[in-house]
Every structure is written in C-alpha cells, then in structure tokens.
Amino acid sequence: MYGLCSEAGLDGLAKKYGLTPEQFGENLRDNYQRYDPEQLPVEPKTAAADYISSKFDSEEVVLRASRYMVALQLAHDPMVRQCVRQTYYERAKISVKPTKKGFKEIDENHPCYTMKYLLNKQVKDLYLDQFLKLTQAEEEGLLKMKMSLDMDIRHNDTFGSHSYLEEIRQLYYRDEFSHHVQLWNNERGKALEAAFEKILYPGFAKELRAKLIEEAKVSITRNCSRQLFNWLKVAPYQADQQMDYDDDDDDDYESGRSGLRVFAVAHPSDLDSATFGVIVDGKGEPQLVGERQRLKLADIESLKVFLTEKRPHVVAVAAESRQTLDVIEDIKRCISELETEQQMAPINVELVDSNVANIYANSKTAESEFLEFPTCLRKAISIGRRLQDPLQEFARLCNVDEDILCIRFHPLQDLISQEMLNEHLYQEFIYRANEVGVDINQALAHNHVSSLIQFICGLGARKGEALLRTLKQQNMHLENRNQLVMGCQLGPTVFINCAGFIKIDTTSVGDSSDSYIEVLDSTRIHPETYEWARKMAVDALEYDESAEDANPAEALEEILDNPDKLKDLDLDAFAEELKRQGYGNKSITLYDIRAELNSRYKDFRISFRAPSPEETFSLLTKETPETFYRGKMMVVRVLTIARRKPRTDQLEQANPIRDDDTGYWQCPFCLRSDFPELSEV
C-alpha cells in the first residue's frame, strides 16, 4: 500500500503536513516544541486535488492515503519509537475479567484467584510469575486480558486510551487559530492517532507481553536454581559420635571403618508390605547381610539385632507419609532400649526428603546399578547416600534421561522450556561441584561419584567421560595433577581450566605409591601458583633459601601442620613484588592461597539441620504454603470427639439429673444418660 501511494506521488502531499518524523521525534524526546510545522496557505482538500489519479480518484481518498503514509513514517522513526516505547512500558495497564468458564473454574485453589478481577493495574506492579499465571489462564480460556496505555473504559467490553496521545498532540500541531491551520491540524491529528493506535500501541503491547513472559520465566528459573542451591548447600552429615570397631570385627565391615555409616530405611505406602533397611558404608556402597536386607520394622527384636551388629552412626528414614512418624518412633524405641540394655552409644534418627530417592529408584541408572534390587531398596540406598553427600546424590539425576527435571522445583516449571531450565540447573551444579572439588580417584572406585566429573570447569560431560575411560583403560590412579597432561593427554588449555578443581587425596595416595607426591595437589591452589605457595611457606618458617639443604617441599608439609605461622606474612608486599615482575595484581590470589594452606579444601556448605515441625509436615503431606494455608477449606472425617475434662471446682458443683421414667442418671458434662447408679456418674 505504501508503495502504491509513493508511485502515485503522494509522498509530496505527505511532506506538506509541515513536520518531518525526525523533527517530531526530537519534539517528543524533549517534550517541547523545538520545531513548528510549516503551514500551507491552502486547505487540505485543495492541496489534495493536485494528486487525484486513477487509483486515488477523490480528494478524500487522497487525504486518507496521505494520512496513512504520514502515520507509517511517524511509526517507523527510531526516535519516535524509542520515546513511545519507554512511555508505554512505564504507564501500561492491564484489566482482567473472567470468562463464563473462568467464573466457574477459578476458585480459591486456582493461582489466579486473587487476580481474576483487575482494572487498570499498572503492569510494572506485577511481580515474579504473576503475568505468566494470567497468560496461562488466558490460553485456557478462563480470563480475558486487555493491555493498553492509560486505559479507561468506554463501554462494557471496549478498552481504549487517549490520555498520552492528548499530551503529545500539541507537539505535532501548529499553534494558530486560522481556518486553514485548524483543518491541517485536524489532518495531523488523524495521522498521529493512526500511527499510535493502529501501529505503535499494538506492536508495543505485543513486545511488552513477550518481555513480561520472558521476565516471569527467568524468575521461575532463578527460583528453581535457588531451590536447588538450598538442597545442594547442605554438607555431608556429621555424626555426634563415632562408633569404632572392635578388634574381633568381621572383615565384611572393613569398608565401613572410614566415613559415615548410615542405616537407611524406606517403607512403602502400604505398611503391610516389607520395609527395607540397608547399611550404606562410608564410601556410599550398600552393605547387605543375609535376610536382613528385608526387614519389617514390626519385628522389633530383629531390628535390635540388626542395629547391634551393624552399629550405624545415624539412621535415615525416607519421608513418605504420616506413617513415617510411626516408623521413626519404633526405631527410636529400639535404640533407647539398646542404650539401656547394652549401653550402646546413642544413634540419631533423621527424617530425609525422599524426592530424589523416588526418582532415582525408578530411573534407568538405578536399574543398571542395582538390577536385582526392588524399588524400595534402591530408594533406601539413595536416602543413605543423600545424607552422606547431597551433591553427589543430586548429580546422579543429571544423566542422558535428564531425570533431574522430574524434581518439582517450582509449580510453574512446566511452562518454561526444558533446555532453559536444564541450563540454569546445570550452572548451579557447576558452581557447587567446583566449590567443593571432585576426587577423580573416588569417581574411579565408586560409580555413584562419577556423575560429578561432568561439572568440572574445563571438562564437561564428554571430556570428563573420556578422562575416566582413559584412566580405567590404563588401570591407573591419579597420583598427581601432572598426570592429567602426561598420562591422560589433556591439552594445556583444558588442564589450566580444570586443574584447580580436581583434588587428590595425597595422604592415601602416598601410602600406596613410592613416587613423589605433590602435597599441593590436595588443595584448591592452581599449579600455576605452586611456586608462590612454596615461597610463602619458606618465608613463614624463615628458611634460608640459599642453603644447600633447603627443601621447599618440607617447608610446605611443616606449614600445613602448623599454618598459624602464615599470619605474620606481609602478603601486600609480596603482591607488590609480583606486580613489579609483571604478574599483575595478585593480592586476592595470595590471600586465597594462605586461606587454602590454613584449611585444605575446606567445605563451605552448611551443616545438616533436622527439619522443623513445619518442614516435617510439608515433607510428610507434600503440602506447601501455596496449597495449605490458614483459611483453606478442607474436607475431613471426624473419627472421635475428645471432651475436655472438668476442673475440680466444676466437679464439686456438678448436679447429675435423674430421669424418673427410666431411673437412669445423666452426666451434666457429656450428657450421657445411661448410668444406673449415682456413684457411676
């Protein structure tokens, strides 16, 4: 259409409106009439008569076409669009009302219940995921939502806005009162209204809707990441006491001598079925003995024997339902009796969320790892491992099947793409895994630890899997970080990126190897700065570096045993010297090195905390503050009515009544009237 108008020469008439789009844009930007329209001395129809053609055969048609051209030019000017877009985003309002379907279906349980009637609500006042909830309800045909600028109601179903247009109209008018000027101002006003109402407002409404939806989705993904962080920030469980083995213990328990031994219990929803208990040793491996791998908690004596033989540090019970509290009470009663009868050390009983265990137990990963185990037993193993290290157990769900997405992080997480959610969740895993560090040798020895390899910075899933495969093929353990390059053929860039996050237990490696062990491989210190760490150790101990018998390695070992001497180092002076040598500002790096030498791979996660009564209620009932709150209407079944016992003074003043017809006495409190004798009342 614009091309046809231009071919007919109507762009000449469009220029006679007196103000170019660029000039109007500057007026709009400054909110001041910097440029006045140039005024023709003839009426619009007279000017339009010169442009009549076969395609535009009348003055009205020519004027209508010229207004269309001017409106299109105004709507596509960058300055005009910028000013109007900014104002639209700041002043846009929405009004919402339910449809007939929504009037019936949106009850107090619906997420849009508090928003089903909105009138001229500022869009900028919407927060978090509110707009996404409204959009979802609109797509389901439950709500009608209108968005505009300075909205007001003309009549029942029509929403419009003219306030902003009236404000800026004078910036496009010529301020005169002659008849010709008023006619041209009228044409300018129609063109301006068409540009705003037909082109700019609908386009910006679409932009703003997309922007609000995207912001809501980002808010949901952030909430999902925050929820995952709250689960991953919990450190491995620390028992109140350590139960040592006697010298005559069986060899079967040798693997449980180190680490936390957990007796994990999982029961099905049907308590008539078997409840499974399993000992998870300090390495996360299940230790099953005979028929006790299937243990019904109703058999209290069998449970006592099991606890006496296995002597776990802690008992973990999967949170399934209200009956879980009965299971916990049975276990606590057994432990209490054992403490009295056999003077056994106290054992804590902890309630553990079963959300990860339920998903893992039914996953292909668990099926391949424990093919012959029933689902409930797999769940118990997952519960025990989660108490030992939540990060490792959550990482087990980050597999090719993307089982991690089965966890409910947010009620509206299904409205965002799986790729977007996965990206944010994996980012959180990367932060936490590299903060804690990953032991490659543990991943080689125990399959459930290997899931963390994919989150090491610089490796990823493909390179991490290749690294493990190379070590297994060569039947070797990682004794030092240099082997990543020499033995595993990692490139220099990959090595520089990942070396600081791969930790090696130099103590255990040193006991099984005769080769040189670099003690700094057990720290977060990067190999590029090993020399600085050695220099700090030598300076702290005031060793003579020029002496022939000077050994920085011995200085390091001594400083690790007694790190208090590092406090006297002037790290700022050391940083200045490094800066003078061309290394840049390394002050923060030096302070990090000192902190790491004070405590190698210190775990900054928070300690495990037993769930509060409110959290226990949520774990057992699966209710949340959004689904269960004060004032919520509930359907219940009354089992019995407990009457309050009367006080002493009420008993003294009580006056039972005798029914002369039946001869029975009636209690004045419960109104029971079948007592044959007064003494029975």
Side-chain angles (χ1 to χ4, degrees), residues 310-584:
K310 299 298 182 179
R311 288 180 296 174
H313 295 124
V314 63
V315 178
V317 182
E320 291 294 338
S321 61
R322 172 63 179 80
Q323 286 75 22
T324 304
L325 297 180
D326 299 332
V327 175
I328 292 177
E329 287 301 319
D330 289 341
I331 297 176
K332 286 184 176 180
R333 185 169 65 253
C334 288
I335 294 174
S336 178
E337 293 176 0
L338 289 175
E339 292 175 8
T340 304
E341 297 171 0
Q342 303 183 18
Q343 287 74 47
M344 190 177 73
I347 302 176
N348 292 337
V349 181
E350 303 292 353
L351 182 68
V352 181
D353 193 351
S354 61
N355 56 349
V356 175
N358 288 328
I359 298 171
Y360 170 77
N362 294 280
S363 66
K364 293 180 180 178
T365 303
E367 185 177 349
S368 62
E369 188 174 1
F370 305 110
L371 180 61
E372 299 180 355
F373 289 3
T375 302
C376 196
L377 181 54
R378 297 174 189 166
K379 186 188 303 183
I381 296 172
S382 178
I383 288 294
R385 287 176 173 176
R386 177 170 180 174
L387 202 61
Q388 291 177 335
D389 194 337
L391 177 60
Q392 291 181 3
E393 195 57 24
F394 272 89
R396 295 287 285 161
L397 302 183
C398 298
N399 47 40
V400 293
D401 297 321
E402 296 182 346
D403 291 328
I404 190 67
L405 298 179
C406 297
I407 298 180
R408 299 303 299 177
F409 299 98
H410 192 278
L412 299 179
Q413 72 182 60
D414 294 332
L415 299 181
I416 59 180
S417 65
Q418 292 187 356
E419 293 77 10
M420 183 179 182
L421 179 58
N422 232 6
E423 179 182 354
H424 283 76
L425 296 179
Y426 273 55
Q427 190 68 51
E428 193 62 41
F429 274 109
I430 291 172
Y431 291 150
R432 303 286 78 78
N434 290 281
E435 181 182 73
V436 174
V438 181
D439 192 332
I440 296 292
N441 293 326
Q442 288 294 323
L444 286 171
H446 307 285
N447 189 46
H448 66 279
V449 184
S450 61
S451 300
L452 290 174
I453 301 295
Q454 60 183 312
F455 302 118
I456 298 178
C457 289
L459 286 184
R462 184 175 58 85
K463 295 187 184 71
E465 184 178 351
L467 174 61
L468 289 180
R469 185 168 57 249
T470 300
L471 291 172
K472 289 179 180 179
Q473 289 174 352
Q474 298 181 5
N475 194 24
M476 61 181 289
H477 288 279
L478 202 63
E479 297 180 352
N480 55 69
R481 287 171 173 169
N482 290 334
Q483 285 182 320
L484 293 171
V485 178
M486 306 301 295
C488 302
Q489 306 301 319
L490 289 186
T493 302
V494 176
F495 173 76
I496 290 174
N497 289 336
C498 72
F501 307 110
I502 295 177
K503 63 180 179 181
I504 300 174
D505 188 354
T506 54
T507 303
S508 60
V509 171
D511 295 339
S512 59
S513 175
D514 296 331
S515 59
Y516 171 73
I517 302 300
E518 175 57 71
V519 68
L520 291 177
D521 286 343
S522 63
T523 68
R524 292 184 175 92
I525 302 173
H526 197 276
E528 290 181 329
T529 59
Y530 278 3
E531 289 301 322
W532 300 349
R534 296 189 184 100
K535 173 67 174 173
M536 291 170 62
V538 170
D539 291 348
L541 297 174
E542 299 180 353
Y543 279 9
D544 185 4
E545 298 182 59
S546 60
E548 295 181 359
D549 57 347
N551 189 347
E554 293 181 0
L556 265 177
E557 293 181 1
E558 184 176 347
I559 207 68
L560 289 174
D561 294 335
N562 188 17
D564 292 338
K565 296 183 179 180
L566 292 170
K567 296 179 180 179
D568 299 330
L569 287 178
D570 188 356
L571 297 184
D572 294 331
F574 193 5
E576 286 295 329
E577 176 63 22
L578 292 176
K579 187 175 182 179
R580 188 184 63 81
Q581 295 177 10
Y583 289 101

Side-chain angles (χ1 to χ4, degrees), residues 197-330:
E197 296 284 355
K198 301 293 182 60
I199 303 175
L200 290 177
Y201 285 172
F204 292 150
K206 187 176 181 180
E207 283 184 18
L208 185 55
R209 285 177 66 95
K211 182 174 181 288
L212 291 172
I213 291 175
E214 184 63 25
E215 289 177 351
K217 289 182 177 180
V218 170
S219 173
I220 292 175
T221 54
R222 287 177 178 173
N223 287 335
C224 293
S225 298
R226 189 179 300 110
Q227 179 61 63
L228 179 61
F229 167 73
N230 291 334
W231 285 327
L232 298 184
K233 70 179 181 181
V234 180
Y237 187 88
Q238 298 295 326
D240 295 335
Q241 45 78 34
Q242 295 293 323
M243 303 173 65
D244 297 327
Y245 287 96
D246 296 330
D247 294 337
D248 57 350
D249 281 333
D250 295 334
D251 294 336
D252 293 338
Y253 310 130
E254 184 66 29
S255 60
R257 292 179 183 273
S258 61
L260 181 76
R261 297 186 306 279
V262 181
F263 175 39
V265 179
H267 67 87
S269 56
D270 181 12
L271 287 182
D272 292 334
S273 303
T275 296
F276 287 84
V278 58
I279 287 289
V280 182
D281 67 16
K283 302 298 183 182
E285 300 295 342
Q287 300 293 318
L288 306 176
V289 181
E291 294 298 323
R292 291 193 180 93
Q293 59 180 301
R294 291 192 60 179
L295 183 65
K296 283 195 174 183
L297 293 181
D299 189 352
I300 302 300
E301 293 303 320
S302 297
L303 179 59
K304 287 183 179 180
V305 174
F306 190 88
L307 292 174
T308 303
E309 292 181 354
K310 299 298 182 179
R311 288 180 296 174
H313 295 124
V314 63
V315 178
V317 182
E320 291 294 338
S321 61
R322 172 63 179 80
Q323 286 75 22
T324 304
L325 297 180
D326 299 332
V327 175
I328 292 177
E329 287 301 319
D330 289 341

Side-chain angles (χ1 to χ4, degrees), residues 20-225:
T20 65
E22 293 80 6
Q23 292 173 335
F24 176 67
E26 293 188 30
N27 288 352
L28 201 59
R29 179 194 62 192
D30 300 335
N31 196 23
Y32 173 75
Q33 196 159 12
R34 295 171 58 92
Y35 301 97
D36 289 325
E38 296 180 2
Q39 183 60 55
L40 288 179
V42 296
E43 296 182 1
K45 289 186 177 181
T46 304
D50 298 335
Y51 296 91
I52 294 177
S53 63
S54 58
K55 295 181 180 179
F56 304 96
D57 54 2
S58 67
E59 297 169 349
E60 286 296 334
V61 175
V62 171
L63 287 176
R64 188 161 59 248
S66 66
R67 289 197 298 267
Y68 169 77
M69 292 189 70
V70 172
L72 211 59
Q73 292 171 1
L74 291 174
H76 286 80
D77 180 73
M79 184 61 68
V80 173
R81 293 182 65 84
Q82 178 183 348
C83 295
V84 178
R85 178 185 286 110
Q86 181 179 357
T87 303
Y88 195 95
Y89 283 11
E90 291 177 355
R91 295 169 55 171
K93 298 179 176 65
I94 61 171
S95 289
V96 177
K97 60 181 180 180
T99 61
K100 291 183 178 180
K101 179 182 177 182
F103 187 79
K104 297 178 181 179
E105 296 188 10
I106 299 180
D107 55 10
E108 62 177 7
N109 297 321
H110 197 278
C112 293
Y113 177 71
T114 59
M115 300 183 291
K116 66 178 180 179
Y117 289 107
L118 296 178
L119 180 62
N120 295 347
K121 181 178 178 63
Q122 289 276 0
V123 170
K124 63 182 181 181
D125 292 338
L126 296 173
Y127 61 92
L128 299 179
D129 52 10
Q130 283 187 330
F131 190 78
L132 193 59
K133 294 177 181 178
L134 291 173
T135 304
Q136 183 186 19
E138 185 181 35
E139 293 175 354
E140 295 173 355
L142 303 178
L143 296 174
K144 287 184 179 180
M145 182 167 53
K146 299 289 184 179
M147 179 185 297
S148 186
L149 188 66
D150 296 324
M151 186 180 295
D152 60 357
I153 301 179
R154 293 179 182 174
H155 46 80
N156 290 341
D157 296 319
T158 304
F159 297 94
S161 171
H162 286 280
S163 298
Y164 178 63
L165 193 58
E166 293 298 332
E167 292 175 14
I168 65 172
R169 196 185 294 269
Q170 299 302 320
L171 301 178
Y172 198 56
Y173 282 3
R174 186 173 181 85
D175 190 14
E176 293 183 11
F177 296 96
S178 65
H179 181 64
H180 292 168
V181 171
Q182 293 301 317
L183 290 177
W184 276 105
N185 281 347
N186 186 41
E187 292 297 320
R188 295 185 185 105
K190 291 180 180 179
L192 196 63
E193 184 175 344
F196 279 63
E197 296 284 355
K198 301 293 182 60
I199 303 175
L200 290 177
Y201 285 172
F204 292 150
K206 187 176 181 180
E207 283 184 18
L208 185 55
R209 285 177 66 95
K211 182 174 181 288
L212 291 172
I213 291 175
E214 184 63 25
E215 289 177 351
K217 289 182 177 180
V218 170
S219 173
I220 292 175
T221 54
R222 287 177 178 173
N223 287 335
C224 293
S225 298

